[in-house]
Amino acid sequence: MDYFDSSSGTDDKQLRRDIRRLGNLLGQALVRQEGPHLLELVEEVRGLVRHQPEAVASRLARLDVNEEVDLARAFATYFHLANITEQVHRARDMRRSRAENGGWLSQARAEIIAEDIPAAQIAAAADRLEVRPVFTAHPTEAARRSILVKLRNIADLLDAETAERAVLGSADVDAVNSRLAEIIDLLWQTDELRVEKPEPTDEARNAIYYLTDLYRDAAARVLTDLNATLTDLGGSPRPGSAPLKFGTWIGGDRDGNPFVTPEVTKQVLLMQHEHGIAAAEGAVAQLINELSVSQAVRPASQELLDSVAADLERLASVIPARYQRIHAEEPYRLKARAIEAKLANTRTRHAEGLPHRPGFDYADGRELQADLQVMRDSLARQRGQLAAKGVLDRVIRTVAAFGLQLATMDVREHSEAHHAVLAELYDATGELPKPYAELTAEERDALLSKELSGQRPLAPVNVDLTDLNRKTFNVFHAIRDAQEQFGQSIVESYIISMTHEPADVLAPAILARDAGLIDVARGRADIGFVPLLEEVEELSNADTLLDRLLSLPAYRAIVAARGDVQEVMLGYSDSNKDAGITASQWNIQSAQRQLRDIAHKHGVRLRLFHGRGGTIGRGGGPTHEAILAQPSGTLDGAIKITEQGEVLSDKYTLPALARENLELTVAASLKATLLHTEPRHQPDVLNRWFEVMNQTSEASKAAYRELTGQPGLAEYFWAVSPTELLGALNIGSRPSKRPNTDAGLSGLRAIPWVFGWTQSRQIVPGWYGVGSGLAAARAAGLGDQIAEMYEKWHFFRNFISNVEMTLAKTDMSIADQYVSTLVPAKLQPIFSTIKAEHEKTIAEVLALTGGEKLLDANPQLARTLEVRDRYLAPLHHLQISLLKRYRSEGETVDPQLKRALLITVNGIAAGLRNTG
């Protein structure tokens, strides 16, 4: 099975050689496992797709269901092998580039030096810097962990072989091939489908896998490079500062997921701590190995000696006598042993739910940092500066980034859930002139603002609530309990989905007050509240919402208690589904400017949380470019970005890629904070461009909503794609539809929406309406301005680049096969509308880029996609055939047929590098 033709003119010969090598090994595995007939079938079908596509359907029709399963598995496995090989080579290219040109941070350093920014300004920015990737459980990773681990093993083998060849001039290829063949055999014998739906705790284990990997390697490297960069610039960060942290929604995201209960939240937090403590123990073990400094050779500071003495007194029963004896003259090792004992005690305390004992265990990661700092200071004073600035600083920075919990949990809930609780509470008091649910938005705002200003508990002790409302109410008590057990940094933000009005934010604040998390009168707020703006209307009114919120004295007091920082989350996925990609991207860009100005008006710092998905249609795309394309002044050091699904495995499976992805995000945030405080263009130019984008956005939105509003679109969408099978993939715990919604599209979540269009290669969310929007602007005489925007405006150029990449992944000839085979004739005119917009969008994009065809400026990516299509085509043809039979068989469907169909879904997701 040859992924690349030998005639390829690309210069990536080693990549092609490695993929061909793994393809040959897979072919041998197919023969070993199933016999030569399977390899012959694979090659036959691939040849037909390439040379006689009209004969493919009839050939597939003659296969029995077991052959279909094996054929689908062969192509899907091939894509997994191709993907990991590409990742290995991408990592090598990045390492080579780093060696020749420096990393992302060194490049940022050069740009900052060129601008001659004062050291004091850099130091202030360093203090404000806090980049936080937030891992979510959004179900877009189709590959099982069992598969991903084996692929990581393959990557490690390929890298080790290259390293051996670099050092010795040759490598033991036979031994490597033997091990690769062994892993590929195991891959084939591993079921790529999950037997059952994961629970939130299973999803947490997946995130923990990546977080602990980052703890051990990539994060520490990035933090060391960042420290060196800032020190060179004269803005060395404060000891214990955390310019990079991690967040998680897993176990805390209740919006539409009935399986995330307060009890599950506690379980996940405990699990995170178990692994976080284990990671810290690994770092301390390194200190024990290295810090053999003898008191007889280089005496330690009195502070360290006193600290060790106090530890030995409190921990004498848990530090083995042997260690006390053999380390008697090695105070650093004794201190590290004491830290080790405290970490073990902390684990026991959490497992048994015991109270914190100062000096015996750790309340949180800050206490661990303080112990490490005592060691560091002693080394620095006693001619051990290199070790102090080396291994000790690395461990301290890593602990500051991860704490003992690995990641800070955000809690999210739908706005209506809080109003349902308040309705039950208020209606029970009888103090309102009408039921709470009948209040207008203005009446709710006034009522809840007054309520938040008061000090009474709205909910009496042991208040009687319905089961659903009880769960919502108990979440706030679970947050309070978690903060008491693990420290306040364990949960910092409470996110309100579908925020429309100030009352949507005030409602959870009142419930938090009743749980003891907020005391407005005393200026205490143990959590902050984050409105999530998800649809275009809310994004366009972002300034009005935030202004009204911050104008309320009680709410402003909460923000003041949180350090005068207001976080706002921007929803890319739902705004795209609501109004199309152009309106979504432009309204998010505009909302950031509005929010920036309102925050400045009220004297608060704005922290934006970007809810980006993996695909372009859900806000994905190159992170570095996306950060730099934000409006000036919107990024003032702090930023949060979601990382989810296949993005996690793509970015973080290999340590070298993990380092690059973290570093580029940190470097872009540093550059935006220091270099993009003022607009890059004159106000009159920007205002002119803004007006062009307003017109383009409106025309694009109109075209998109005309499509989504067509009668029969829901039926067309369900017919043309295997979306009804997304739940059967068992890739996430959350249902794919929102509660209490019908079989239409309004209640369908953004992930299955993108999933369906992607599997059928129409990929509507990534480009639809762009052509109409640009054509309308051109028709209005704005063609020259659009060209100017593409040449000079970072936001617009980045937007067009992402759309071009999505268009290149779209394949209307494949889509036509889905439509002609699966869609009723009466609905097929919808596809004609989609094709017309596709042609228009390509024409408009090429008019801007000046290319003769898509991706002219990136021939290597174009070649990669072209070759991938040759292997995707058989999977698409097979999926179409299977989907037609699956639907015709109804409830009597053969389980093997369904299995084959699900494997094609996995394979296409792997081939496109996107599920949803």
Side-chain angles (χ1 to χ4, degrees), residues 204-218:
R205 288 185 182 91
N206 185 56
I208 287 168
Y209 171 88
Y210 291 109
L211 288 166
T212 52
D213 222 25
L214 290 168
Y215 193 114
R216 285 190 294 266
D217 186 90

mmCIF file of all heavy atoms in Angstrom, residues 204-218:
data_model
loop_
_atom_site.group_PDB
_atom_site.id
_atom_site.type_symbol
_atom_site.label_atom_id
_atom_site.label_comp_id
_atom_site.label_asym_id
_atom_site.label_seq_id
_atom_site.Cartn_x
_atom_site.Cartn_y
_atom_site.Cartn_z
ATOM 1 N N ALA A 204 -11.883 12.344 31.610
ATOM 2 C CA ALA A 204 -10.880 12.993 32.459
ATOM 3 C C ALA A 204 -9.544 12.255 32.372
ATOM 4 O O ALA A 204 -8.477 12.874 32.332
ATOM 5 C CB ALA A 204 -11.364 13.045 33.905
ATOM 6 N N ARG A 205 -9.590 10.926 32.350
ATOM 7 C CA ARG A 205 -8.341 10.154 32.239
ATOM 8 C C ARG A 205 -7.612 10.483 30.937
ATOM 9 O O ARG A 205 -6.380 10.522 30.897
ATOM 10 C CB ARG A 205 -8.638 8.652 32.315
ATOM 11 C CG ARG A 205 -9.043 8.172 33.697
ATOM 12 C CD ARG A 205 -9.209 6.652 33.760
ATOM 13 N NE ARG A 205 -9.647 6.245 35.086
ATOM 14 C CZ ARG A 205 -10.914 6.110 35.446
ATOM 15 N NH1 ARG A 205 -11.874 6.337 34.566
ATOM 16 N NH2 ARG A 205 -11.235 5.750 36.676
ATOM 17 N N ASN A 206 -8.377 10.712 29.874
ATOM 18 C CA ASN A 206 -7.762 11.054 28.595
ATOM 19 C C ASN A 206 -7.020 12.383 28.701
ATOM 20 O O ASN A 206 -5.873 12.509 28.236
ATOM 21 C CB ASN A 206 -8.837 11.139 27.513
ATOM 22 C CG ASN A 206 -8.258 11.380 26.149
ATOM 23 O OD1 ASN A 206 -7.413 10.622 25.682
ATOM 24 N ND2 ASN A 206 -8.697 12.443 25.493
ATOM 25 N N ALA A 207 -7.652 13.390 29.300
ATOM 26 C CA ALA A 207 -6.998 14.696 29.462
ATOM 27 C C ALA A 207 -5.789 14.576 30.383
ATOM 28 O O ALA A 207 -4.741 15.189 30.135
ATOM 29 C CB ALA A 207 -7.993 15.715 30.019
ATOM 30 N N ILE A 208 -5.917 13.793 31.438
ATOM 31 C CA ILE A 208 -4.818 13.619 32.389
ATOM 32 C C ILE A 208 -3.605 13.002 31.701
ATOM 33 O O ILE A 208 -2.457 13.353 31.998
ATOM 34 C CB ILE A 208 -5.283 12.770 33.591
ATOM 35 C CG1 ILE A 208 -6.216 13.601 34.480
ATOM 36 C CG2 ILE A 208 -4.104 12.240 34.396
ATOM 37 C CD1 ILE A 208 -6.959 12.793 35.529
ATOM 38 N N TYR A 209 -3.858 12.106 30.755
ATOM 39 C CA TYR A 209 -2.760 11.493 29.998
ATOM 40 C C TYR A 209 -1.908 12.583 29.338
ATOM 41 O O TYR A 209 -0.669 12.568 29.405
ATOM 42 C CB TYR A 209 -3.338 10.547 28.951
ATOM 43 C CG TYR A 209 -2.332 10.008 27.958
ATOM 44 C CD1 TYR A 209 -1.608 8.857 28.230
ATOM 45 C CD2 TYR A 209 -2.114 10.646 26.736
ATOM 46 C CE1 TYR A 209 -0.691 8.350 27.309
ATOM 47 C CE2 TYR A 209 -1.199 10.152 25.816
ATOM 48 C CZ TYR A 209 -0.492 9.007 26.108
ATOM 49 O OH TYR A 209 0.420 8.519 25.209
ATOM 50 N N TYR A 210 -2.561 13.532 28.666
ATOM 51 C CA TYR A 210 -1.824 14.610 27.997
ATOM 52 C C TYR A 210 -1.196 15.561 29.011
ATOM 53 O O TYR A 210 -0.058 16.018 28.819
ATOM 54 C CB TYR A 210 -2.753 15.376 27.058
ATOM 55 C CG TYR A 210 -3.179 14.580 25.850
ATOM 56 C CD1 TYR A 210 -4.484 14.126 25.715
ATOM 57 C CD2 TYR A 210 -2.266 14.266 24.846
ATOM 58 C CE1 TYR A 210 -4.873 13.391 24.599
ATOM 59 C CE2 TYR A 210 -2.652 13.532 23.734
ATOM 60 C CZ TYR A 210 -3.955 13.097 23.619
ATOM 61 O OH TYR A 210 -4.340 12.356 22.521
ATOM 62 N N LEU A 211 -1.926 15.892 30.060
ATOM 63 C CA LEU A 211 -1.417 16.851 31.042
ATOM 64 C C LEU A 211 -0.159 16.330 31.733
ATOM 65 O O LEU A 211 0.804 17.079 31.935
ATOM 66 C CB LEU A 211 -2.509 17.168 32.072
ATOM 67 C CG LEU A 211 -3.662 18.040 31.552
ATOM 68 C CD1 LEU A 211 -4.834 18.010 32.525
ATOM 69 C CD2 LEU A 211 -3.195 19.483 31.332
ATOM 70 N N THR A 212 -0.160 15.067 32.116
ATOM 71 C CA THR A 212 1.026 14.522 32.784
ATOM 72 C C THR A 212 2.206 14.447 31.816
ATOM 73 O O THR A 212 3.363 14.645 32.209
ATOM 74 C CB THR A 212 0.739 13.134 33.384
ATOM 75 O OG1 THR A 212 0.173 12.283 32.373
ATOM 76 C CG2 THR A 212 -0.231 13.231 34.540
ATOM 77 N N ASP A 213 1.935 14.192 30.549
ATOM 78 C CA ASP A 213 2.994 14.198 29.538
ATOM 79 C C ASP A 213 3.582 15.603 29.397
ATOM 80 O O ASP A 213 4.808 15.772 29.305
ATOM 81 C CB ASP A 213 2.423 13.724 28.198
ATOM 82 C CG ASP A 213 3.363 12.780 27.466
ATOM 83 O OD1 ASP A 213 4.183 12.126 28.130
ATOM 84 O OD2 ASP A 213 3.270 12.696 26.238
ATOM 85 N N LEU A 214 2.714 16.612 29.378
ATOM 86 C CA LEU A 214 3.172 17.994 29.297
ATOM 87 C C LEU A 214 3.982 18.382 30.533
ATOM 88 O O LEU A 214 4.969 19.111 30.449
ATOM 89 C CB LEU A 214 1.974 18.934 29.142
ATOM 90 C CG LEU A 214 1.242 18.873 27.799
ATOM 91 C CD1 LEU A 214 -0.077 19.630 27.875
ATOM 92 C CD2 LEU A 214 2.110 19.440 26.680
ATOM 93 N N TYR A 215 3.560 17.902 31.688
ATOM 94 C CA TYR A 215 4.250 18.175 32.947
ATOM 95 C C TYR A 215 5.694 17.687 32.872
ATOM 96 O O TYR A 215 6.633 18.388 33.281
ATOM 97 C CB TYR A 215 3.500 17.462 34.079
ATOM 98 C CG TYR A 215 3.881 17.859 35.486
ATOM 99 C CD1 TYR A 215 2.960 18.513 36.310
ATOM 100 C CD2 TYR A 215 5.119 17.553 36.021
ATOM 101 C CE1 TYR A 215 3.291 18.861 37.609
ATOM 102 C CE2 TYR A 215 5.451 17.898 37.323
ATOM 103 C CZ TYR A 215 4.526 18.546 38.103
ATOM 104 O OH TYR A 215 4.847 18.890 39.397
ATOM 105 N N ARG A 216 5.871 16.479 32.339
ATOM 106 C CA ARG A 216 7.192 15.856 32.327
ATOM 107 C C ARG A 216 8.162 16.516 31.363
ATOM 108 O O ARG A 216 9.367 16.463 31.566
ATOM 109 C CB ARG A 216 7.071 14.371 31.976
ATOM 110 C CG ARG A 216 6.541 13.496 33.104
ATOM 111 C CD ARG A 216 6.682 12.023 32.752
ATOM 112 N NE ARG A 216 5.842 11.638 31.630
ATOM 113 C CZ ARG A 216 4.633 11.119 31.762
ATOM 114 N NH1 ARG A 216 4.120 10.928 32.970
ATOM 115 N NH2 ARG A 216 3.924 10.776 30.704
ATOM 116 N N ASP A 217 7.638 17.135 30.283
ATOM 117 C CA ASP A 217 8.583 17.563 29.247
ATOM 118 C C ASP A 217 8.277 18.943 28.675
ATOM 119 O O ASP A 217 8.943 19.917 28.993
ATOM 120 C CB ASP A 217 8.604 16.514 28.127
ATOM 121 C CG ASP A 217 9.660 16.796 27.083
ATOM 122 O OD1 ASP A 217 10.813 16.323 27.235
ATOM 123 O OD2 ASP A 217 9.340 17.495 26.104
ATOM 124 N N ALA A 218 7.264 19.021 27.821
ATOM 125 C CA ALA A 218 7.094 20.194 26.974
ATOM 126 C C ALA A 218 6.872 21.481 27.754
ATOM 127 O O ALA A 218 7.466 22.523 27.441
ATOM 128 C CB ALA A 218 5.928 19.959 26.004
#
